[in-house]
Amino acid sequence: MSESMASPSRRREATRQKLLDAAAQVFAEVGLDAASVEEVCERAGFTRGAFYSNFESKDELFLELAGRVSLSRVEAVRARVRALEQDGALNGGETNALQVIQQVLDTTASDRLSVLLMSEIRINALRNPGLAAASLAQEDELLVSVTQIVDDISRASNLVCALPAADVARVMLTTWESASVRAVMAGLNHTQMREFVSAELAIVAQLVIRPPQS
C-alpha cells in the first residue's frame, strides 16, 4: 500500500517515525540544545506544521525518542534470544554458556550515532528530573529483560553465576555502555567497535559466570 493510499492513522505514524528518525540523527550530531525544529523538519522532509501537528515541542519529541531507543534495545535482545532458541543454542549440552550470553548482549552493540544519541539522552536526564525518571524506568525495563535472559540461559545451560542474575545483568549492561562510549571516543569503526565491546563483555563474563557444571 502506498503512503498516499494509507489510512490517516498510518500516515500520521509514518510522519512521526520519519521525524523521530531525523531527530535521532540531529540530536546525536549536535545535541538537544543546539538542535532546532527547523533542522529536524528539513532532515525529515517536512514543514514546521507537520512537526507541530505531531509534537508540542522539541522536548516532547526528545522524550518519545528516548523511550523508543530504549524499547528497541530490549526488542533487539529478545529477538536474538528467540533466534538462539530456534537454533537450539539454549538447550544446554555442549553449548558454551559464556558464548551464548556474550552473543545475546552483543546485540546491544551500537554504531557511533547510536552511542552519541544514548549519551545525549543521559546528559539531559542528569539535568531534567522528568526525563531522568522516564530514563530510569526504561533502563529498569531493559535490566528486567536481560535479567530474565541470564536466568533462562543459566537454567538451560546448567550455568553457575557468581552473583544473582539481576546483578550479572547490571554488570554486563554497565560494561557494554562503558565500552561503547570508549570505542566511540577512540574513533573505532563499526566492526572494531563490536569486537572491542565483545572482548570487554567476555572479560567481565569470566568474572561473574562460571562454566556449565558437569
Side-chain angles (χ1 to χ4, degrees):
M1 179 184 295
S2 67
E3 187 171 336
S4 61
M5 296 175 62
S7 65
S9 61
R10 288 187 178 181
R11 288 199 299 271
R12 179 180 176 83
E13 179 55 32
T15 298
R16 288 177 69 87
Q17 188 59 55
K18 288 181 180 179
L19 287 167
L20 286 161
D21 291 342
Q25 297 176 12
V26 174
F27 291 152
E29 291 169 2
V30 304
L32 175 62
D33 291 339
S36 66
V37 170
E38 289 79 10
E39 189 172 3
V40 171
C41 291
E42 182 179 353
R43 188 74 60 96
F46 294 120
T47 63
R48 286 172 57 90
F51 180 93
Y52 286 111
S53 68
N54 285 275
F55 301 99
E56 291 186 0
S57 66
K58 183 176 67 172
D59 287 343
E60 181 189 357
L61 169 64
F62 186 76
L63 183 58
E64 180 167 337
L65 178 62
R68 293 200 181 196
V69 168
S70 180
L71 290 175
S72 69
R73 293 171 67 192
V74 173
E75 182 51 39
V77 169
R78 290 174 178 168
R80 174 62 67 88
V81 172
R82 287 194 295 268
L84 291 173
E85 287 175 339
Q86 291 175 357
D87 292 340
L90 305 185
N91 294 333
E94 298 180 358
T95 300
N96 186 327
L98 293 178
Q99 280 188 337
V100 170
I101 289 185
Q102 185 177 345
Q103 288 175 19
V104 169
L105 294 179
D106 183 57
T107 305
T108 60
S110 304
D111 57 21
R112 178 177 180 274
L113 199 67
S114 297
V115 174
L116 286 172
L117 178 59
M118 288 302 302
S119 297
E120 182 66 17
I121 291 171
R122 179 156 294 176
I123 288 171
N124 283 275
L126 290 171
R127 302 190 184 110
N128 184 321
L131 180 58
S135 296
L136 287 173
Q138 292 154 6
E139 288 186 6
D140 286 344
E141 182 177 356
L142 179 61
L143 178 61
V144 168
S145 296
V146 176
T147 297
Q148 185 62 55
I149 290 164
V150 172
D151 209 26
D152 290 345
I153 294 175
S154 297
R155 288 195 301 269
S157 303
N158 200 24
L159 189 72
V160 178
C161 293
L163 300 169
D167 292 333
V168 171
R170 183 178 292 104
V171 169
M172 299 296 274
L173 285 170
T174 299
T175 300
W176 166 79
E177 291 174 354
S178 175
S180 297
V181 171
R182 185 173 182 83
V184 170
M185 292 174 65
L188 303 185
N189 62 36
H190 183 64
T191 299
Q192 293 171 327
M193 182 175 175
R194 291 185 69 91
E195 291 174 350
F196 176 73
V197 173
S198 181
E200 293 293 293
L201 287 172
I203 292 172
V204 174
Q206 293 181 47
L207 297 175
V208 298
I209 302 170
R210 300 172 186 169
Q213 295 178 336
S214 58

